[in-house]
């Protein structure tokens, strides 16, 4: 994005202060600045992850590894990075639903509008403001889907640090920040990088239901409930099914137990507040969704992107884990589903409900 004849180059300090004020006015909750450069440890960590095959079916992580590890490999003209965060903290404990076995647990971030759309809209508004103010400068905006090392950049920009669960942790917002970035040709005053405040705590590692952490800061995505319910396209390996419980889209366990969440506040953006019908939906109702009903229920939601078949597969695993014999007919009705993955999950659920606890 660029515009008009060039304006005089701003001082780095003045430009950073002005951008911070405008970003906060637009509704961002965290703002920081960093040079468009990352140290070799980011690439080394990514290479080790990929060499171990822990990305599973997420082939795009390897396809654009160079651009992910080096901002200027993605855009050589970039001078500075503006890291921005939006708080999506829940009002209540997101793990409380795990005991309601006839209900579905949907990850906090997916209970309303797709955050990509919300964050990108704010990023574009800030980008337009910047281009209008400093004509001749150029920039690019990114939200999650581009090969950007969001968490290392956010740490370098002072928004937080990568915790032992590999997600960003903020001293102000806990584990509940959506991230977005603006790469710009402006020379901006950098923020002080954040340091690791995890100490000896390992609550996030212990909380994982499928033991997806091979060590602190090392997540094997192939074992992660978020990966299994969202990215994985085939049948879910049986070794993980019982541990999934009633989690049908994503998993909040490692995030929710972080002690830094005691400083977090509930989201203030309406589009990030949970919809009442997605807080504790009944498994029986979700299993009955056909493609049209699924699309209607999750219109504008990130859940929509996995499609009805993968979604109902997840619901059937939760039904099998429910211990509720009343849900057996629901599963039995789907044992002949046209999608073989759905049919297999339904057959597994029926067998499991037929087996005495």
């Amino acid at each position: 994005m660029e515009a008009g004849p060039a304006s005089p180059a701003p001082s780095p300090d003045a430009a950073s202060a002005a951008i911070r004020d405008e970003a906060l006015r637009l509704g961002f909750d965290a703002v920081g600045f960093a040079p468009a450069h990352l140290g070799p440890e980011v690439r080394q960590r990514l290479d080790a992850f990929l060499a171990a095959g822990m990305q599973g079916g997420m082939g795009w992580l390897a396809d654009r590894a160079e651009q992910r590890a080096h901002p200027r490999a993605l855009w050589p003209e970039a001078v500075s990075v503006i890291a921005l965060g939006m708080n999506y903290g829940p009002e209540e404990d997101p793990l409380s639903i795990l005991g309601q076995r006839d209900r579905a647990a949907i990850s906090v971030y997916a209970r309303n509008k797709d955050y990509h759309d919300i964050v990108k809209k704010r990023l574009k508004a800030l980008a337009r403001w910047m281009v209008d103010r400093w004509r001749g400068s150029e920039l690019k905006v990114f939200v999650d889907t581009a090969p950007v090392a969001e968490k290392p950049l956010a740490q370098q920009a002072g928004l937080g640090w990568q915790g032992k669960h590999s997600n960003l942790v903020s001293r102000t917002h806990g584990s509940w920040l959506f991230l977005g970035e603006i790469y710009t040709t402006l020379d901006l005053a950098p923020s002080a990088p954040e340091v690791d405040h995890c100490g000896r705590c390992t609550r996030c590692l212990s909380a994982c239901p499928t033991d997806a952490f091979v060590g602190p800061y090392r997540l094997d995505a192939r074992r992660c409930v978020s990966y299994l319910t969202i990215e994985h396209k085939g049948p879910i390996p049986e070794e993980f099914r019982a541990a999934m419980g009633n989690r049908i889209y994503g998993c909040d366990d490692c995030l929710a137990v972080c002690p830094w969440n005691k400083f977090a506040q509930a989201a203030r953006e309406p589009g990030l507040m949970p919809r009442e019908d997605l807080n504790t939906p009944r498994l029986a109702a979700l299993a009955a969704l056909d493609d049209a009903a699924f699309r209607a229920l999750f219109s504008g939601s990130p859940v929509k992107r996995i499609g009805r078949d993968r979604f109902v597969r997840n619901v059937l695993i939760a039904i099998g884990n429910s211990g509720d014999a009343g849900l057996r007919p629901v599963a039995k009705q789907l044992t002949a589903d046209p999608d073989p993955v759905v049919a297999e999950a339904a057959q597994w659920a029926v067998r499991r409900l037929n087996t005495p606890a």
Side-chain angles (χ1 to χ4, degrees):
M1 185 180 293
E2 57 183 314
S7 302
S11 78
D13 287 323
S16 293
I19 292 168
R20 181 186 301 278
D21 289 345
E22 181 64 11
L24 295 174
R25 188 191 70 80
L26 288 169
F28 287 104
D29 298 294
V31 189
F33 307 90
H37 173 76
L38 288 169
E41 68 280 356
V42 174
R43 182 59 190 266
Q44 291 165 4
R45 186 170 168 178
L46 177 58
D47 285 348
F49 176 78
L50 296 171
M54 291 192 287
Q55 77 277 20
M58 297 182 290
W60 64 86
L61 290 173
D63 293 342
R64 303 183 73 180
E66 178 68 15
Q67 293 171 318
R68 189 173 298 278
H70 301 294
R72 287 176 186 154
L74 179 59
W75 188 37
E77 291 76 20
V79 174
S80 303
V81 175
I82 307 165
L84 301 119
M86 286 190 70
N87 171 44
Y88 71 102
E91 289 188 352
E92 301 174 353
D93 178 8
L95 303 187
S96 61
I97 191 175
L98 298 181
Q100 301 179 53
R101 308 296 277 187
D102 64 331
R103 305 295 179 117
I106 297 174
S107 187
V108 168
Y109 83 88
R111 295 182 188 177
N112 203 326
K113 299 293 185 183
D114 192 330
Y115 75 91
H116 296 89
D117 298 334
I118 295 173
V119 175
K120 188 162 232 179
K121 182 178 179 181
R122 299 286 172 82
L123 286 175
K124 287 184 174 180
L126 181 58
R128 286 192 295 269
W129 176 88
M130 289 174 59
V131 168
D132 184 60
R133 178 155 181 164
W134 295 294
R135 296 187 181 278
S137 65
E138 299 178 54
L139 53 80
K140 295 183 184 293
V141 302
F142 303 104
V143 185
D144 190 30
T145 52
V148 173
E150 292 191 306
K151 291 172 281 190
L153 284 169
Q155 179 163 352
Q156 190 165 294
L159 268 61
W161 69 96
Q162 276 192 271
K164 291 177 183 175
H165 53 20
S166 79
N167 291 290
L168 196 78
V169 182
S170 161
R171 287 189 289 177
T172 306
H173 304 287
S175 293
W176 312 111
L177 274 181
F178 290 133
L179 300 175
E181 299 76 36
I182 296 179
Y183 286 15
T184 176
T185 56
L186 290 173
D187 182 15
L188 301 174
S191 308
E194 184 59 281
V195 297
D196 192 317
H197 295 284
C198 287
R200 296 181 180 179
C201 180
T202 56
R203 291 188 195 179
C204 59
L205 308 183
S206 302
C208 181
T210 51
D211 295 323
F213 295 103
V214 297
Y217 312 101
R218 297 185 63 209
L219 172 71
D220 187 342
R222 297 168 297 183
R223 301 182 63 88
C224 175
V225 173
S226 287
Y227 170 82
L228 293 168
T229 56
I230 299 172
E231 304 295 345
H232 183 69
K233 296 180 180 179
I236 292 174
E238 290 203 26
E239 65 179 299
F240 303 124
R241 295 185 184 186
M244 287 170 58
N246 59 346
R247 303 168 184 84
I248 66 161
Y249 189 92
C251 178
D252 293 317
D253 293 41
C254 66
L255 302 178
V257 299
C258 179
W260 286 96
N261 289 335
K262 65 185 176 184
F263 300 110
Q265 296 184 359
R268 58 194 177 98
E269 164 61 42
L272 300 179
M273 296 176 184
R275 285 167 39 185
E276 185 61 34
D277 60 338
L278 296 184
N279 261 342
T280 57
R282 293 185 178 277
L283 292 171
L286 297 179
L289 296 174
D290 60 15
D291 187 65
F294 169 80
R295 290 176 176 274
L297 178 62
F298 293 106
S299 176
S301 161
V303 177
K304 185 179 177 181
R305 80 176 182 88
I306 69 171
R308 174 265 177 189
D309 293 343
R310 212 182 309 177
F311 178 80
V312 173
R313 172 203 66 183
N314 300 340
V315 173
L316 286 163
I317 299 300
I319 286 176
N321 290 330
S322 69
D324 185 347
L327 290 173
R328 188 184 296 115
V330 177
K332 193 169 184 179
Q333 193 168 2
L334 291 165
T335 55
D337 192 87
D339 183 84
V341 175
V342 172
E344 186 278 331
Q347 293 157 14
W348 177 87
V350 170
R351 291 196 304 273
R352 187 162 169 81
L353 290 174
N354 284 339
T355 302

